Amino acid sequence: MSELAERAAKADANDPLAAKRDLFDLDDGVIYLDGNSLGALPRHVPARVADVLTRQWGRMRIRGWTEEGWWDAPQRIGDRIAPLVGAAPGHVVVGDSTSVNIFRAVVSALRMTPGRGEILVDATTFPTDGYVAASAARLTGATIRPVEPKNVPDEVGDDTAVVLLNHVDYRSGRLHDMGALTAAAHAAGARVIWDLSHSAGALPVDLLQHNVDFAVGCTYKYLNGGPGAPAFFAVRPDLLPVLDQPLGGWCSHREPFAMDPEYVAAEGIAKARAGTPEIVSLLTLDASLDVWDDVDLAQLRAKSLALTEFFVDCARELAPAARSVTPAGEDRGSQVSLSCVDAEKVMAELIARGVVGDHRPPDLLRFGFTPLYTRFADALRAAEILGEILA
């Protein structure tokens, strides 16, 4: 047995999260390393969704809103996500998409900073964040300026109202310093919005500790909520009473069934809702979150760091033509991005041979390591196959 194989066997044997893998519907012979785009299906979810469709909708119909708790699902499920991102209970709501929630957060932050008109946007951001921020700027008369996250302390100024950042760079996998960057923005009088789409469910996040104003994120990646699962929106506790979000709809009204022609915002996190919630996908997510009930996030992070480091070691030895562009140690999220020639063709061949990652132009192979179900043996085998293809 090779030294790498011995390391993999020992790490898998000592993995405190190993039993979690059996909770997921995974194919024999396929190494799934794309959980940073779409998480795997927990085995128990189809039966729960079938109940939603056949009994709750099929038999109970309109009674589901009250007797099955559909109406409060956005807040109830938000409370299940809150401990995964270090938010206070009652300050996370689930609904709509990440893009919609970014718009909601940007405009809310602008309204909280009168007299300021600049939005700083992560220059390395996932494109939708920039698109939405630019749209919000056009609607509000604000200006928008891209900055490298590391330069925020030097770039934030007296006119900066909002700083919009990604916690993990979706291309390189770099984990940004939430505490330091939030503090720098606050020192200049700006509000901060963090997009947690590539960190929630992959590593511990502590919104309360870092005094984060707003956070958003999708739930279909590391949280395994299913394709198109609704996003979450978190608000700092002391900001919730003054939140004036731009998409107030009937479900965020203080008395939604009064059908009042005048809008009066609800109390609490319900004021961050908008229209009728997407019940089937919400309850799919609710079922998926069961896999997190007893997960120690410190163990999750330890395994993530060990897995990604091991994969980099394997790739360095077995596939030297691919170069890692992902930072080492604590500066890394839960993915590894490798640069190589003909990356798109290489990824297509990897997928054909049962190693599922994804390609980001022009030259990146991107591999997401989901600690709940990825094994060290998977990381080794993926590097072996990559090496065979590149050779």
Side-chain angles (χ1 to χ4, degrees):
M1 181 182 292
S2 70
E3 184 267 338
L4 290 174
E6 289 179 357
R7 283 177 60 187
K10 181 178 180 180
D12 283 331
N14 295 322
D15 178 11
L17 299 175
K20 287 292 180 179
R21 179 179 171 85
D22 292 336
L23 301 180
F24 292 88
D25 186 7
L26 299 165
D27 322 56
D28 291 336
V30 173
I31 299 169
Y32 190 66
L33 300 179
D34 208 8
N36 54 332
S37 287
L38 178 64
L41 171 69
R43 293 182 186 276
H44 69 280
V45 168
R48 292 273 290 278
V49 175
D51 177 72
V52 172
L53 295 175
T54 60
R55 183 184 64 83
Q56 296 184 36
W57 178 19
R59 300 278 68 81
M60 301 189 72
R61 291 176 282 271
I62 197 69
R63 292 160 51 209
W65 289 104
T66 52
E67 296 180 33
E68 291 295 332
W70 294 355
W71 182 261
D72 295 326
Q75 295 100 294
R76 176 173 54 80
I77 299 169
D79 278 345
R80 298 193 72 186
I81 291 175
L84 301 178
V85 295
H91 290 83
V92 181
V93 69
V94 180
D96 301 307
S97 66
T98 305
S99 299
V100 169
N101 287 335
I102 289 170
F103 178 83
R104 179 178 279 126
V106 170
V107 176
S108 297
L110 285 166
R111 290 176 174 177
M112 290 178 178
T113 50
R116 292 172 176 245
E118 180 182 66
I119 304 168
L120 297 187
V121 176
D122 183 343
T124 61
T125 191
F126 188 77
T128 196
D129 297 41
Y131 302 159
V132 172
S135 179
R138 290 194 299 272
L139 287 169
T140 61
T143 60
I144 189 165
R145 183 159 60 96
V147 298
E148 292 284 338
K150 66 181 180 181
N151 295 333
V152 165
D154 298 322
E155 297 289 344
V156 65
D158 293 341
D159 192 44
T160 305
V162 189
V163 180
L164 173 61
L165 297 167
N166 282 232
H167 197 198
V168 173
D169 185 319
Y170 81 102
R171 286 175 55 82
S172 72
R174 175 177 291 279
L175 175 66
H176 297 300
D177 189 334
M178 177 178 285
L181 296 178
T182 299
H186 285 170
R191 299 293 183 194
V192 179
I193 304 163
W194 284 95
D195 184 339
L196 308 181
S197 294
H198 287 87
S199 56
L203 51 93
V205 179
D206 201 331
L207 299 179
L208 273 177
Q209 177 185 334
H210 297 308
N211 208 27
V212 169
D213 301 299
F214 301 99
V216 302
C218 64
T219 62
Y220 49 78
K221 301 184 192 306
Y222 295 107
L223 293 177
N224 311 298
F232 62 86
F233 179 48
V235 182
R236 202 175 80 196
D238 62 302
L239 298 182
L240 190 54
V242 296
L243 177 69
D244 180 16
Q245 66 107 343
L247 298 175
W250 81 288
C251 290
S252 64
H253 194 282
R254 185 174 63 190
E255 297 184 42
F257 294 98
M259 304 302 167
D260 189 339
E262 298 297 325
Y263 179 77
V264 181
E267 298 295 324
I269 195 63
K271 69 163 59 175
R273 294 175 59 171
T276 306
E278 47 280 85
I279 291 300
V280 175
S281 55
L282 267 172
L283 298 185
T284 301
L285 169 62
D286 191 24
S288 297
L289 290 172
D290 287 354
V291 301
W292 292 97
D293 284 348
D294 59 351
V295 172
D296 182 328
L297 295 181
Q299 291 179 344
L300 185 86
R301 179 59 169 160
K303 181 178 177 183
S304 167
L305 288 172
L307 260 175
T308 48
E309 180 180 4
F310 178 64
F311 179 69
V312 170
D313 289 346
C314 292
R316 185 182 297 117
E317 179 172 328
L318 301 172
R323 176 181 59 86
S324 175
V325 300
T326 302
E330 294 288 345
D331 291 334
R332 180 174 60 236
S334 199
Q335 74 180 58
V336 173
S337 295
L338 303 177
S339 172
C340 74
V341 176
D342 292 329
E344 185 173 10
K345 293 180 181 178
V346 171
M347 181 53 69
E349 181 62 20
L350 279 166
I351 293 171
R353 296 179 61 171
V355 178
V356 181
D358 62 22
H359 163 252
R360 288 292 179 265
D363 63 343
L364 291 185
L365 307 172
R366 200 175 65 146
F367 303 95
F369 290 83
T370 305
L372 294 188
Y373 55 76
T374 307
R375 300 172 298 194
F376 289 82
D378 297 328
L380 173 57
R381 184 60 185 144
E384 289 174 341
I385 294 172
L386 174 61
E388 292 168 6
I389 292 169
L390 291 177

